[in-house]
Amino acid sequence: MTRIYYEATALGPASLPSAAWDLTSFLENAKAQVQQWGGLVLMLLGAAALVWGGVLLLKKLWANPQTASQQAGWGTIAALIIFAGALGTGGWQFIETVGSGGQQTIEDLGGGTVIVQTVDQVGGVLDRISG
């Protein structure tokens, strides 16, 4: 018993990590935490949707062809399984990749110059065409 007490006291107090308590650090940490929680929620929903896609697939395969109009279509089932699998395994990374592709498209579309014609310029062109 004495040995355990000696070893515990020999280690000394644990040093606390130093952390900045400013607004920037708070927001960066909050962003990281929301991404982590959001990714886990997306993975959970993806897993649930994958199970539901499997249920719909089995119902579709076992169904009577005469009642096929009341069921989900093959395209819906396939899309559900594909996207649910991507969300279930990728979570936040999958959504971030899709979002960054959209960001790149917007930047590519917005990279050109805009030509602005005033009313006077348009009127001059119309005068030259008609006259």
Side-chain angles (χ1 to χ4, degrees), residues 69-81:
S69 64
Q70 297 174 355
Q71 297 178 3
W74 287 110
T76 303
I77 293 171
L80 181 62
I81 291 173

Side-chain angles (χ1 to χ4, degrees), residues 4 7 15-16 22 36 46 53 60 66 79 85 87 110 116 125 127 130:
I4 295 172
E7 289 176 358
S15 61
L16 297 173
D22 59 329
Q36 181 181 6
K60 182 80 168 177
Q66 295 175 350
L87 274 178
V116 179
V125 171
D127 288 340
S130 64

Side-chain angles (χ1 to χ4, degrees), residues 1-90:
M1 181 74 174
T2 309
R3 181 175 173 224
I4 295 172
Y5 176 75
Y6 176 73
E7 289 176 358
T9 57
L11 295 175
S15 61
L16 297 173
S18 62
W21 284 93
D22 59 329
L23 185 60
T24 303
S25 297
F26 171 75
L27 293 175
E28 287 173 353
N29 293 336
K31 176 187 164 233
Q33 193 65 42
V34 168
Q35 285 177 343
Q36 181 181 6
W37 290 343
L40 292 173
V41 168
L42 288 173
M43 291 173 77
L44 176 67
L45 292 175
L50 191 59
V51 169
W52 183 246
V55 168
L56 290 178
L57 177 67
L58 290 175
K59 283 176 63 176
K60 182 80 168 177
L61 291 173
W62 287 335
N64 184 357
Q66 295 175 350
T67 61
S69 64
Q70 297 174 355
Q71 297 178 3
W74 287 110
T76 303
I77 293 171
L80 181 62
I81 291 173
I82 290 170
F83 287 112
L87 274 178
T89 57

